[in-house]
Amino acid sequence: MKKNMSKIALITGATAGIGKATAELFAKNGIDLILCGRRKERLDELQQTLGESVKVTTLSFDVRNREAVFSAIDSLPEHWKSINILVNNAGNAHGLDTVQNANIDDWDAMIDGNVKGLLYVTRAVLPGMIAKNDGHIVNIGSIAGEQVYSKGAVYCASKFAVDALSQGMRLDLLDHNIRVTNIAPGLVETEFSLVRFKGDANKADQVYKGLDALTGADIAEAIFWSISRPAHVQIADMLILPSAQAAATTVRRK
């Protein structure tokens, strides 16, 4: 993809981790940005920084709130509604518990964010892509969408859903020339574990201790590579692991 191609990308969960790294890489390559997230102050900072390279606008909403999603995207000026690329990155893991001991509120948070939120945003963006007969949707899944692990049943189920939705979208949108990519990372050192363990930094640090985990930038490069392929090429699925990881819970530590 060449710079200044007048592409517009909407990225959810853009304020940290994979979303932020993707926004930064897209900006370097001349893609205008609609950055979405709950933390408005971080969105404002990104807009100021990345706005030096490309056009940037922001939308502050929680993907779990259906009315907020549709209202925010509908509020975009007509120029910004011409979205070429959607990166469904927003998501979460809450808790690491057995089904019999889990907090049901954690289940709701994961299903509402990882599944329903992805669907809400996609549905809100799709009319514009269908009208143009062109678009690319990138869904950020997880190795947890391919392998279930103990105490992660609901999180894994939500990411299995992302994989299924990606396959279904690919079928439903075939006649509209809309490509769909599912990217499934393994261990990525972001705020993910800090959220999962409800702010317990010690527990979060143990997840990545003694290994070189992936970074948000690693996944951003995969996202950009996928969306920058020639029009006749569709990257359907991509599983990305750090070299020290062989399976969801099988890692080599130093």
Side-chain angles (χ1 to χ4, degrees), residues 58-242:
T58 65
L59 296 173
S60 181
F61 61 86
D62 187 332
V63 297
R64 296 174 294 182
N65 186 323
R66 181 171 67 179
E67 290 184 2
V69 169
F70 282 88
S71 176
I73 294 175
D74 187 58
S75 74
L76 289 167
E78 285 304 313
H79 165 72
W80 282 107
K81 289 180 180 177
S82 185
I83 296 165
N84 306 95
I85 303 154
L86 167 61
V87 181
N88 279 313
N89 169 69
N92 57 73
H94 289 272
L96 189 64
D97 302 289
T98 60
V99 170
Q100 63 269 31
N101 294 320
N103 183 326
I104 294 177
D105 289 339
D106 288 344
W107 293 354
D108 287 342
M110 289 184 282
I111 293 170
D112 288 350
N114 298 349
V115 183
K116 293 165 69 177
L118 181 149
L119 283 168
Y120 295 157
V121 176
T122 302
R123 184 62 179 269
V125 168
L126 272 176
M129 289 185 173
I130 290 172
K132 294 185 303 179
N133 199 46
D134 178 69
H136 198 145
I137 298 169
V138 180
N139 295 325
I140 305 303
S142 171
I143 189 174
E146 302 189 13
Q147 302 173 9
V148 179
Y149 53 82
S150 177
K151 299 183 178 180
V154 174
Y155 175 70
C156 292
S158 73
K159 288 302 186 178
F160 267 75
V162 172
D163 181 60
L165 289 170
S166 297
Q167 294 183 49
M169 288 178 191
R170 207 172 294 123
L171 293 167
D172 291 346
L173 298 172
L174 180 64
D175 290 341
H176 298 288
N177 195 38
I178 297 172
R179 297 184 286 182
V180 181
T181 298
N182 181 71
I183 293 184
L187 283 167
V188 185
E189 189 165 2
T190 62
E191 296 178 357
F192 175 87
S193 290
L194 194 63
V195 173
R196 162 168 268 176
F197 294 116
K198 306 179 192 304
D200 189 328
N202 290 327
K203 284 186 178 180
D205 289 344
Q206 292 303 310
V207 175
Y208 311 107
K209 187 175 181 180
L211 62 87
D212 292 323
L214 298 169
T215 67
D218 293 325
I219 308 306
E221 288 181 3
I223 294 169
F224 179 74
W225 183 78
S226 298
I227 62 100
S228 61
R229 295 308 85 206
H232 71 285
V233 178
Q234 177 171 220
I235 306 301
D237 292 284
M238 191 184 303
L239 173 65
I240 308 170
L241 305 177

Side-chain angles (χ1 to χ4, degrees), residues 1-7 23-32 53-54 224 227-228:
M1 181 178 294
K2 297 178 181 178
K3 288 190 176 185
N4 301 319
M5 290 184 67
S6 300
K7 295 281 188 181
E24 292 169 344
L25 184 56
F26 278 15
K28 288 180 181 178
N29 285 275
I31 300 174
D32 293 336
S53 304
V54 293
F224 179 74
I227 62 100
S228 61

